[in-house]
Amino acid sequence: MEAMGGSDRLKSIQAVRCSANIWINGLEGKMTLTAKWPSSTLMEFEYPHSKLRAASAGGTVWSDPPGWLERQRIDYKFPKGSLVGELITRATGGAPWTEPPATPRGFGTPTAFIFGGLLAYGLNPSNGDRIEYQGIGAEEGFSAQILKYIRQEQDVQETYYLDPKTFLPFKVRVESRAANTAEIRYFGGWYSESGVTFNRRVEFFRDGLLYESHSQRQCVNQQLADSVFSSGVKK
């Protein structure tokens, strides 16, 4: 937590909006992640021929178009023989997985949405969840402090590889045990803004293939109305 800005500074954040240029399987677009504490999150994607939006606020979750949000789960698979699954398989050169690209961060608390599960747990430990320290090891030629975040009530578990000098993650392995699938995320370009540490770059791999990358920038403590997270608001 100290590497990310310290618990006091992180707990003082009221709102964050992250804008990014993204690349997904050859398709370029823009992404915006918006969060307002304590419980509102919004993600928006804009591509040349489509726009996608999904939000969670006050216990209500919605997406536009309807049903799109469910397809972002890391363990989601399209029905066998479906047109969408076939198109994705062709677009990825016959990749063995047929899931659509997973979203950079799942919903949940704004802290997990913006900063990831490990930091969210550190600020507010969940009952039944646990952190296992795996020690110092070599990871892709680099020394790393290795931490595994295991969730009691969710299928997904995350392994974090931290730079021993900065204690910032350079790699995260996200695994779905039920779907027997894993996603590797690489982080870089760390910088400080308003006393909080963010990353500029993240790349997503499955089965050794790069399928998504982000080049992003964050702004903290913006003034955001609750209506921003309503399904009736269009940008």
Side-chain angles (χ1 to χ4, degrees):
M1 285 188 291
E2 291 303 315
M4 298 294 291
S7 60
D8 290 343
R9 179 67 186 99
L10 292 166
K11 289 179 180 179
S12 73
I13 296 175
Q14 299 176 10
V16 172
R17 175 166 282 159
C18 166
S19 299
N21 294 321
I22 62 174
W23 176 94
I24 300 180
N25 286 331
L27 182 65
E28 295 183 349
K30 296 182 178 181
M31 176 189 73
T32 302
L33 302 179
T34 306
K36 181 179 181 180
W37 276 253
S39 60
S40 298
T41 53
L42 169 68
M43 56 185 174
E44 302 167 284
F45 296 85
E46 182 175 349
Y47 301 105
H49 303 292
S50 64
K51 294 183 179 181
L52 306 169
R53 305 174 73 239
S56 174
T60 300
V61 179
W62 59 266
S63 68
D64 182 18
W68 172 71
L69 183 61
E70 176 63 19
R71 297 196 297 272
Q72 309 314 301
R73 293 165 51 89
I74 190 174
D75 56 353
Y76 178 85
K77 293 181 181 294
F78 284 106
K80 185 176 181 181
S82 71
L83 175 60
V84 177
E86 176 64 21
L87 289 174
I88 290 177
T89 301
R90 292 181 182 180
T92 57
W97 50 272
T98 58
E99 299 93 336
T103 52
R105 301 168 181 86
F107 277 131
T109 67
T111 304
F113 184 66
I114 296 295
F115 297 106
L118 182 63
L119 185 60
Y121 177 87
L123 290 173
N124 186 24
S126 302
N127 292 333
D129 291 0
R130 68 183 190 273
I131 299 293
E132 291 184 357
Y133 178 57
Q134 307 286 304
I136 299 178
E139 184 65 23
E140 301 193 22
F142 297 94
S143 179
Q145 298 271 8
I146 305 173
L147 298 173
K148 181 172 287 188
Y149 175 34
I150 302 174
R151 309 187 192 208
Q152 178 70 21
E153 297 182 356
Q154 295 187 28
D155 170 58
V156 176
Q157 66 181 21
E158 304 166 3
T159 303
Y160 288 76
Y161 302 88
L162 311 181
D163 185 320
K165 296 180 179 180
T166 66
F167 291 95
L168 295 170
F170 63 86
K171 176 180 177 179
V172 177
R173 179 182 177 88
V174 183
E175 298 176 88
S176 169
R177 288 162 288 184
N180 192 28
T181 186
E183 178 177 277
I184 307 297
R185 304 171 182 176
Y186 294 97
F187 297 85
W190 293 96
Y191 72 102
S192 179
E193 183 170 306
S194 301
V196 180
T197 305
F198 294 102
N199 62 288
R200 296 191 191 279
R201 303 187 307 274
V202 58
E203 297 178 335
F204 301 78
F205 286 78
R206 286 194 192 170
D207 300 307
L209 300 175
L210 172 67
Y211 73 87
E212 183 172 349
S213 65
H214 302 170
S215 175
Q216 57 198 28
R217 184 162 185 86
Q218 286 84 356
C219 297
V220 299
N221 282 350
Q222 294 188 345
Q223 296 296 316
L224 296 173
D226 291 338
S227 60
V228 170
F229 304 91
S230 170
S231 61
V233 176
K234 301 294 184 181
K235 293 188 64 177

